[in-house]
């Protein structure tokens, strides 16, 4: 199979991923609704409930994209920073805050593998659909752990790999054939959404992330699966 235009496992990966999101930023929310049948909004709400934000707590949403999770955390009274590599995505996130009377997240451009905050800064650290896109997911988890305060909650929402082989095969078929067609129709790019399956095949998904969380010494590690594991949340707490 020919490698995806946007998937590069080497040093150029960040630049290629940045190109991908710059190209789809304006239609990103629409495609998310279409490819998940709107369910991504429910999964993000579940992540926020698991994070259990309290008024005045500090939260960091990595790879924040167009700001859905950061805004949801802010609605609960948290002081939120949203960080993303893609300036076009951040521009859309900032526009959303202009239509809200809520506590406003602070959106900044930055690298989730070199988070520009000191150690022990946040009670909550989240990443939605972003850990899979990093050149090294393990580095991303270490950075999440570093900036979390003791007792802080770490949460990762992303595409999963179902344990059931038949269900996994059907799901991968959906990602291979249907989702890229949506990308072609609405974003003019087949490759941008074919990238999802390519990146997922090289990603350890929920079980691999949970294993790495335990290796790092995080506590109360658990997996919350949706639809038989096609989507999942990894949860852990800093010791």
């Amino acid at each position: 199979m020919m490698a995806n235009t946007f998937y590069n496992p080497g040093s150029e990966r960040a630049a290629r991923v940045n190109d991908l999101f710059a190209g789809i930023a304006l239609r990103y929310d629409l495609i998310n609704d279409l490819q998940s049948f709107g369910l991504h909004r429910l999964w993000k709400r579940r992540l926020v409930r698991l994070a259990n934000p309290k008024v005045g707590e500090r939260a960091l949403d990595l790879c924040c994209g167009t700001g859905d999770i950061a805004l949801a955390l802010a609605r609960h009274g948290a002081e939120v920073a949203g960080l993303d590599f893609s300036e076009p995505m951040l521009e859309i996130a900032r526009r959303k805050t202009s239509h809200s009377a809520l506590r406003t997240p602070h959106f900044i451009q930055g690298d989730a593998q070199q988070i520009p905050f000191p150690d022990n800064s946040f009670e909550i650290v989240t990443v939605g659909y972003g850990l899979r896109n990093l050149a090294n997911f393990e580095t991303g988890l270490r950075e999440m752990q570093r900036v979390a305060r003791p007792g802080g909650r770490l949460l990762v929402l992303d595409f999963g790999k179902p344990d059931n082989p038949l269900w996994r095969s059907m799901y991968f078929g959906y990602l291979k054939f249907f989702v890229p067609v949506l990308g072609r129709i609405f974003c003019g790019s087949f490759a941008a959404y074919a990238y999802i399956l390519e990146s997922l095949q090289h990603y350890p998904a929920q079980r691999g992330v949970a294993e790495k969380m335990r290796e790092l010494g995080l506590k109360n590690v658990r997996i919350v699966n949706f639809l038989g594991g096609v989507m999942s949340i990894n949860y852990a707490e800093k010791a």
Side-chain angles (χ1 to χ4, degrees):
M1 184 176 64
M2 184 178 295
N4 183 271
T5 304
F6 294 105
Y7 185 83
N8 187 322
S11 59
E12 296 180 2
R13 184 166 187 197
R16 300 303 296 142
V17 170
N18 193 37
D19 290 343
L20 185 158
F21 285 106
I24 66 174
L26 290 174
R27 297 295 183 93
Y28 180 76
D29 289 335
L30 172 63
I31 299 291
N32 278 351
D33 281 331
L34 292 173
Q35 73 176 5
S36 73
F37 305 100
L39 292 173
H40 75 100
R41 299 180 184 276
L42 298 177
W43 299 327
K44 289 170 182 173
R45 284 201 288 269
R46 181 65 184 278
L47 178 142
V48 172
R49 287 201 301 272
L50 285 169
N52 191 26
K54 300 176 179 64
V55 174
E57 285 190 324
R58 297 191 70 202
L60 172 64
D61 183 36
L62 298 170
C63 307
C64 65
T66 59
D68 286 352
I69 293 172
L71 286 163
L73 291 166
R75 289 188 191 100
H76 289 266
E79 297 178 6
V80 184
L83 181 142
D84 200 281
F85 202 61
S86 171
E87 187 59 36
M89 299 286 274
L90 289 170
E91 288 175 7
I92 294 171
R94 293 182 186 116
R95 276 184 232 150
K96 290 181 180 179
T97 65
S98 68
H99 299 294
S100 173
L102 305 170
R103 186 190 297 264
T104 303
H106 177 55
F107 291 108
I108 59 172
Q109 187 175 28
D111 186 349
Q113 294 187 118
Q114 296 179 325
I115 299 173
F117 290 101
D119 298 358
N120 306 315
S121 294
F122 299 95
E123 282 84 9
I124 299 167
V125 185
T126 63
V127 56
Y129 305 109
L131 195 67
R132 169 178 46 86
N133 295 326
L134 301 183
N136 189 316
F137 87 95
E138 296 174 341
T139 301
L141 284 176
R142 289 191 190 97
E143 278 291 273
M144 292 175 71
Q145 180 184 36
R146 179 184 68 79
V147 298
R149 290 177 176 170
R153 290 88 78 193
L154 285 69
L155 299 97
V156 178
L157 169 64
D158 217 318
F159 290 86
K161 293 180 178 176
D163 291 331
N164 183 286
L166 177 60
W167 184 226
R168 183 189 294 201
S169 178
M170 293 172 64
Y171 170 50
F172 279 16
Y174 171 78
L175 292 177
K176 181 177 182 179
F177 296 109
F178 180 71
V179 171
V181 170
L182 289 177
R184 176 64 177 168
I185 293 171
F186 292 97
C187 291
S189 175
F190 186 93
Y193 281 87
Y195 166 86
I196 293 174
L197 178 58
E198 180 82 11
S199 61
L200 181 57
Q201 289 173 328
H202 292 87
Y203 178 63
Q206 59 267 59
R207 292 196 178 278
V209 171
E211 180 180 353
K212 188 62 186 179
M213 285 176 158
R214 293 187 184 98
E215 287 179 13
L216 291 173
L218 296 170
K219 305 299 182 184
N220 298 325
V221 175
R222 56 181 166 133
I223 298 170
V224 179
N225 280 321
F226 305 105
L227 300 178
V230 304
M231 208 66 56
S232 66
I233 295 173
N234 286 94
Y235 174 92
E237 297 170 3
K238 184 171 178 176

